Amino acid sequence: MAYSAEISRVNPTCFVFLVDQSASMNDPIGGDSPQRKADVVADAINRLLTELSVKCAKEEGVRDYFHVAVIGYGSSVGSAYAGSLAGRDLVPLSEVADNPARVEERVKKVPDGAGGLVETTTRFPVWMDPVANAGTPMCRALQYAESIVAKWLVDHPGCFPPIVLNLTDGESTDGDPDAPAAGIRAHASADGAALLFNLHVSAGGGEPVTFPDADGGLPDAYSRTLFNMSSVLPTDMRSYAATQGFSVSDATRGFVYNADIASIVQFLDIGTRATDLR
Amino acid sequence: MWAYVSTLSVHKDGATPEECEDAAGVVPVIESDEPTDGAVSVAVSDGASESLLAGPWARLLVESTVEAVRAKPEVLHSDSGFARVVLDAVDDWDEWLAAYIAGREAEDRPIKWYEQPGLDRGAYATLLAFHLTDVGLWHAAALGDSCLFQVRSDRLLRAFPVETAVALGTSPALLNSRNRNEGLIASKAGLANGDYEEGDQFFLGTDAIAHWFLSEVEQDDCPWEVLRDLSAIGSQEAFAKWVADERASGRMKNDDVTLVHVDLG
């Protein structure tokens, strides 16, 4: 069965995050939120890297089940890591975890146990900062990701298929991204085709959408293009999504509109999941 | 009734022996080629790979459980008794964890930011506890997917708490090292009991070998034969080789494997 390869230190897979850093990312996300789209995607990347590191953490350190690249696209296309990882593409997860550019203290509200909320500080590692300038060379970014995936598969032909996650406001300025997206999905390990997922951040309004199975409810042409570029979620990921309360079908795609995508990390199986009794 | 008890274990391929997160405990402590006459208590636990300190938690659970069952076998007669055994282990864990964190500080290896959420959540593991009385009866309690099989006259008489291979997934019920909810633990625990006769075989195992065992039974095979032979050999190396062959053939998933065989033959 496809998408069933073990993800382990001897058989790791890779994650390529593509981050839109174009000038349009300076705009606010819309709705009630004053946040800029660039801040939203930078936060999303930093949270995804945090979730991956915590998921793979053991007492001796973070295990290299994944190698991770963060590629920015705007005035240029290339590594978006800040700090000591700057300039690098795929980095073993243990190195990512041990080398954030900085660790910020952020205030968040948590339940106080008596029905209210209380402010507490939490450590927030940062690997990339928000950037917004120039055009949106999404086609070039997808081709860059494809070259990383192709090279990875030469060395890891039996791995769980590589995952490319594109975070964007959807407005490609270097052509139709459909063909380069298909180029990524055309690469395969013995366990299945590479996966392409998309997070669309937009000022277009409308309800947030998480893992839809049709493009009918999406607000604009950019959303529909990104939805159609996105891979269908493999069976096991879909099953786990269902257990987490997501509404899924055989056609559910790895696509999110103006919503949190960090949960995608939890869909990946690296062993017995730590779940509480209910 | 004379019983021979042997424990076989092999770590996940690609990991080191020290990274094994399965644990098994037996009292009285006896060599596999020496029979014991009297009651036997066994506990098996499988630490969840996605949690921190799962191996130490599994080891503490089995050590605490076999001692509790040996001292008072009736704890396995009720789900509340089983839950209290777990709560005693949770109390012990707090002390163990405080010493662990102090040790890390002393080694100049303080807890990293990516470990803290896992420590806050606690460690997770299954638990299967088993007691063989000296009057022809056995009792067991379980939470999670570590399994007990009773074989009599060359057929599977009892599988507990999971009865089919397909029911063994990647999200079993697990005991959390911070869970002090006695009622919740009791409500999720399973209990079983039965009698035994001379010649009966009991196998207690973690999920990978339990899945293999049930799959073989579902194909009308007799998995206890090879396990009994491996147990009689008593060699960890021979067991590891057999597990490696089963993994290579795709019949057993790559996971830590632990088997305790109680042979009344």
Side-chain angles (χ1 to χ4, degrees), chain B residues 166-216:
Chain B
V166 74
L168 289 156
T170 58
S171 296
L174 295 164
L175 289 165
N176 178 277
S177 60
R178 301 170 70 95
N179 186 353
R180 296 180 188 279
N181 188 334
E182 184 179 331
L184 180 62
I185 295 168
S187 71
K188 298 298 178 185
L191 298 175
N193 61 75
D195 60 11
Y196 65 81
E197 296 176 359
E198 186 177 347
D200 281 4
Q201 312 278 314
F202 291 92
F203 299 93
L204 294 90
T206 46
D207 63 316
I209 200 163
H211 185 274
W212 170 87
F213 191 103
L214 287 168
S215 298
E216 294 285 302

Side-chain angles (χ1 to χ4, degrees), chain A residues 6 9 50 53 55 57-60 62-63 97-98 125 127 269-278, chain B residues 12 15 19 21 49-53 100 104 112-115 121 124 170 172-174 179 184 188 254:
Chain A
E6 177 187 64
R9 285 167 290 181
T50 298
S53 302
K55 183 180 176 79
K58 298 297 280 185
E59 42 272 29
E60 79 282 2
V62 170
R63 292 186 177 172
D98 282 327
W127 289 269
D269 178 12
I270 59 165
T272 303
R273 292 189 167 96
T275 47
D276 290 307
L277 293 177
R278 279 192 285 248
Chain B
K12 184 175 181 169
E19 290 172 347
E21 294 175 325
S49 42
E50 264 201 37
S51 69
L52 232 60
L53 298 171
Y100 172 78
R104 288 280 300 265
K112 296 277 186 68
W113 68 265
Y114 46 74
E115 293 176 277
R121 286 192 71 189
Y124 291 76
T170 58
L174 295 164
N179 186 353
L184 180 62
K188 298 298 178 185
N254 183 25

Side-chain angles (χ1 to χ4, degrees), chain A residues 160 195 197 233-242 264 267-268:
Chain A
F160 185 91
L195 296 164
F197 300 145
L233 284 183
T235 309
D236 283 355
M237 293 175 78
R238 204 166 60 229
S239 301
Y240 186 70
I264 202 102
F267 297 175
L268 295 164

Side-chain angles (χ1 to χ4, degrees), chain B residues 48-71:
Chain B
S49 42
E50 264 201 37
S51 69
L52 232 60
L53 298 171
W57 170 231
R59 289 190 284 278
L60 185 144
L61 266 177
V62 300
E63 287 162 14
S64 178
T65 300
V66 287
E67 287 304 329
V69 171
R70 185 182 65 125

Side-chain angles (χ1 to χ4, degrees), chain A residues 196-278:
Chain A
L196 174 61
F197 300 145
N198 285 281
L199 166 65
H200 185 200
V201 290
S202 171
E207 288 296 309
V209 179
T210 307
F211 308 121
D213 61 2
D215 64 4
L218 299 177
D220 57 30
Y222 298 124
S223 277
R224 287 188 285 279
T225 297
L226 290 168
F227 170 85
N228 287 301
M229 281 163 49
S230 302
S231 303
V232 170
L233 284 183
T235 309
D236 283 355
M237 293 175 78
R238 204 166 60 229
S239 301
Y240 186 70
T243 68
Q244 299 305 296
F246 293 102
S247 173
V248 294
S249 74
D250 289 354
T252 294
R253 298 202 187 205
F255 172 80
V256 166
Y257 172 75
N258 275 358
D260 181 22
I261 200 163
S263 55
I264 202 102
V265 166
Q266 302 309 332
F267 297 175
L268 295 164
D269 178 12
I270 59 165
T272 303
R273 292 189 167 96
T275 47
D276 290 307
L277 293 177
R278 279 192 285 248

Side-chain angles (χ1 to χ4, degrees), chain B:
Chain B
M1 177 67 61
W2 293 96
Y4 290 87
V5 184
S6 58
T7 301
L8 296 164
S9 184
V10 58
H11 58 279
K12 184 175 181 169
D13 187 32
T16 65
E18 294 73 31
E19 290 172 347
C20 181
E21 294 175 325
D22 279 359
V26 179
V27 288
V29 177
I30 39 173
E31 295 296 322
S32 62
D33 57 354
E34 288 180 15
T36 181
D37 181 16
V40 176
S41 300
V42 182
V44 169
S45 176
D46 181 352
S49 42
E50 264 201 37
S51 69
L52 232 60
L53 298 171
W57 170 231
R59 289 190 284 278
L60 185 144
L61 266 177
V62 300
E63 287 162 14
S64 178
T65 300
V66 287
E67 287 304 329
V69 171
R70 185 182 65 125
K72 194 177 175 187
E74 304 80 56
V75 294
L76 299 185
H77 297 189
S78 69
D79 48 27
S80 58
F82 178 69
R84 283 193 293 277
V85 170
V86 173
L87 291 190
D88 286 344
V90 170
D91 287 341
D92 292 346
W93 178 254
D94 285 348
E95 204 174 312
W96 186 93
L97 185 61
Y100 172 78
I101 292 170
R104 288 280 300 265
E105 295 282 351
E107 294 166 17
D108 201 22
R109 283 196 314 126
I111 303 299
K112 296 277 186 68
W113 68 265
Y114 46 74
E115 293 176 277
Q116 196 60 53
L119 289 186
D120 292 344
R121 286 192 71 189
Y124 291 76
T126 67
L127 179 62
L128 168 66
F130 172 75
H131 183 71
L132 194 74
T133 71
D134 52 7
V135 292
L137 299 172
W138 61 267
H139 292 270
L143 198 148
D145 60 4
S146 295
C147 294
L148 166 70
F149 304 113
Q150 182 182 15
V151 175
R152 179 179 295 169
S153 304
D154 220 25
R155 72 181 185 89
L156 179 62
L157 189 64
R158 187 73 186 269
F160 168 78
V162 181
E163 296 180 344
T164 60
V166 74
L168 289 156
T170 58
S171 296
L174 295 164
L175 289 165
N176 178 277
S177 60
R178 301 170 70 95
N179 186 353
R180 296 180 188 279
N181 188 334
E182 184 179 331
L184 180 62
I185 295 168
S187 71
K188 298 298 178 185
L191 298 175
N193 61 75
D195 60 11
Y196 65 81
E197 296 176 359
E198 186 177 347
D200 281 4
Q201 312 278 314
F202 291 92
F203 299 93
L204 294 90
T206 46
D207 63 316
I209 200 163
H211 185 274
W212 170 87
F213 191 103
L214 287 168
S215 298
E216 294 285 302
V217 170
E218 287 162 11
Q219 293 167 49
D220 294 325
D221 285 333
C222 303
W224 45 86
E225 291 177 353
V226 65
L227 297 185
R228 194 170 48 203
D229 291 346
L230 287 162
S231 171
I233 295 167
S235 156
Q236 296 287 351
E237 292 74 22
F239 184 66
K241 181 178 182 317
W242 173 78
V243 168
D245 290 346
E246 292 303 303
R247 286 174 182 162
S249 71
R251 287 190 293 268
M252 189 182 295
K253 76 169 181 176
N254 183 25
D255 196 358
D256 296 329
V257 174
T258 293
L259 175 73
V260 179
H261 179 212
V262 181
D263 183 355
L264 306 183

